[in-house]
């Protein structure tokens, strides 16, 4: 089942739109349903995956450019897709309070309206590019809420990306000061820095499982390699994949989300 919902967000202070995929016993348009075990535990709640878009994307990106409806059906999970502009999933200094929206208001709405589990072990997040950073940022900021977080072609090293953007070494679609305020020039070690968040979570003894993948022809490939090396030095166990010959595009992300759902929901 595919739903588009329009509702008023008190956090954002305007009407907003989300897309939601809910698996059903009837399956998709094939004659037989395709769910792995065909058990739809609506009373206890289905697991939920929040899918995050990249720069210039919105709540329609995943449904337009991937086959997420079929993949969610096959894995018996709810998929939730929201739009956050080019915010890096922050409570923006000048703009929407998207971190609060994604981690508080939206989950409360989803679990109230849909047969979605509220349990940490049933709550996951995955994203691409800006949304790759967003997935890890949300999960590492709220490790009590998300059990697994996956990044595809992720802009994970926000400090390095900011410095390269300011230096004109990469295309820069982001309103850094709008998103981060005065912190934009002092991201390292802040609560927007994934490595600082990860260190804090490790000290507190609760770290979400992490997945990272990137194509070898992606312009963020070297950045992702550097992130993986830092994680290894920190002693962080994570899934890391380099996919040969793939670029920063939906061909790769549509392919990779299937592997991520297999990781989130092992047979």
């Amino acid at each position: 089942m595919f739903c588009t919902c329009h509702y008023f967000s008190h956090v954002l202070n305007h009407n907003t739109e989300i897309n939601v995929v809910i698996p059903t016993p009837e399956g998709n348009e094939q004659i037989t349903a395709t769910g792995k075990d065909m058990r739809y535990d609506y009373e206890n709640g289905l697991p939920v995956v929040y899918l995050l878009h990249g720069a210039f994307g919105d709540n329609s990106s995943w449904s337009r450019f991937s086959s997420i409806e079929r993949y969610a059906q096959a894995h018996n999970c709810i998929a939730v897709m929201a739009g956050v502009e080019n915010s890096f999933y922050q409570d923006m200094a000048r703009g929407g309070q998207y971190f609060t929206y994604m981690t508080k208001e939206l989950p409360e709405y989803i679990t109230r309206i849909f047969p979605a589990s509220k349990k940490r072990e049933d709550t996951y997040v995955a994203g691409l590019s800006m949304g790759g950073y967003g997935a890890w940022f949300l999960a590492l900021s709220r490790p009590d809420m998300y059990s697994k977080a996956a990044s595809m072609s992720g802009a994970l090293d926000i400090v390095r990306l900011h410095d390269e953007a300011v230096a004109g070494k990469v295309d820069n679609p982001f309103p850094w000061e709008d998103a981060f305020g005065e912190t934009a020039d002092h991201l390292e070690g802040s609560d927007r820095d994934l490595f600082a968040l990860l260190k804090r979570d490790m000290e507190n003894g609760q770290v979400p499982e992490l997945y990272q993948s990137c194509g070898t022809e992606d312009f963020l490939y070297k950045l992702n390699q550097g992130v993986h090396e830092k994680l290894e030095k920190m002693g962080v166990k994570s899934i890391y994949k380099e996919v040969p010959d793939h670029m920063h595009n939906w061909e790769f992300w549509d392919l990779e989300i299937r592997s991520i759902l297999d990781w989130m929901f092992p047979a």
Side-chain angles (χ1 to χ4, degrees), residues 214-217 242-246:
C214 193
T216 58
E217 304 305 310
E242 296 181 359
V243 185
D245 303 322
H246 277 279

Side-chain angles (χ1 to χ4, degrees), residues 85-103:
E85 305 179 277
N86 287 358
S87 68
F88 263 109
Y89 296 84
Q90 303 295 310
D91 279 347
M92 300 178 72
R94 293 185 291 274
Q97 303 300 286
Y98 288 111
F99 174 75
T100 300
Y101 171 68
M102 291 296 301
T103 59

Side-chain angles (χ1 to χ4, degrees), residues 32 77 88 91-92 123-126 153 167 205 216 220 226 233 248 265:
T32 57
C77 67
F88 263 109
D91 279 347
M92 300 178 72
T123 306
Y124 311 91
V125 60
S153 308
T216 58
L220 291 176
K233 290 179 180 178
H248 201 83
F265 308 104

Side-chain angles (χ1 to χ4, degrees), residues 120-240:
R120 176 184 185 268
E121 59 266 30
D122 292 333
T123 306
Y124 311 91
V125 60
L128 59 93
S129 195
M130 180 189 77
Y133 166 85
W136 281 24
F137 172 68
L138 298 185
L140 294 173
S141 297
R142 290 292 309 274
D144 59 308
M145 183 174 180
Y146 305 94
S147 60
K148 295 183 179 182
S151 166
M152 294 162 278
S153 308
L156 297 172
D157 190 339
I158 195 72
V159 176
R160 176 175 170 181
L161 184 66
H162 171 266
D163 292 346
E164 291 182 354
V166 171
K169 295 180 180 179
V170 296
D171 290 337
N172 182 22
F174 303 111
W176 292 95
E177 292 185 358
D178 289 346
F180 297 101
E182 295 180 358
T183 311
D185 293 324
H186 308 282
L187 290 169
E188 188 170 4
S190 73
D191 59 3
R192 308 336 176 44
D193 180 353
L194 297 182
F195 303 113
L197 290 172
L198 186 52
K199 181 180 179 182
R200 182 202 66 185
D201 291 351
M202 293 172 68
E203 292 172 349
N204 292 337
Q206 188 174 50
V207 182
E209 294 182 51
L210 300 175
Y211 182 112
Q212 177 190 4
S213 65
C214 193
T216 58
E217 304 305 310
D218 195 304
F219 76 96
L220 291 176
Y221 171 57
K222 293 296 184 182
L223 183 146
N224 273 266
Q225 279 188 318
V227 169
H228 176 58
E229 291 170 1
K230 285 187 178 181
L231 262 59
E232 285 190 320
K233 290 179 180 178
M234 293 175 68
V236 177
K237 294 181 179 180
S238 63
I239 303 295
Y240 176 70

Side-chain angles (χ1 to χ4, degrees), residues 49 51 62 75 124-128 148-153 211-213 239 241 252-266:
V49 180
L51 295 175
W62 279 98
H75 288 83
Y124 311 91
V125 60
L128 59 93
K148 295 183 179 182
S151 166
M152 294 162 278
S153 308
Y211 182 112
Q212 177 190 4
S213 65
I239 303 295
K241 287 177 60 180
F252 172 63
W253 301 324
D254 183 55
L255 176 70
E256 188 59 18
I257 191 60
R258 285 175 278 181
S259 297
I260 288 171
L261 291 174
D262 287 341
W263 168 69
M264 290 177 170
F265 308 104

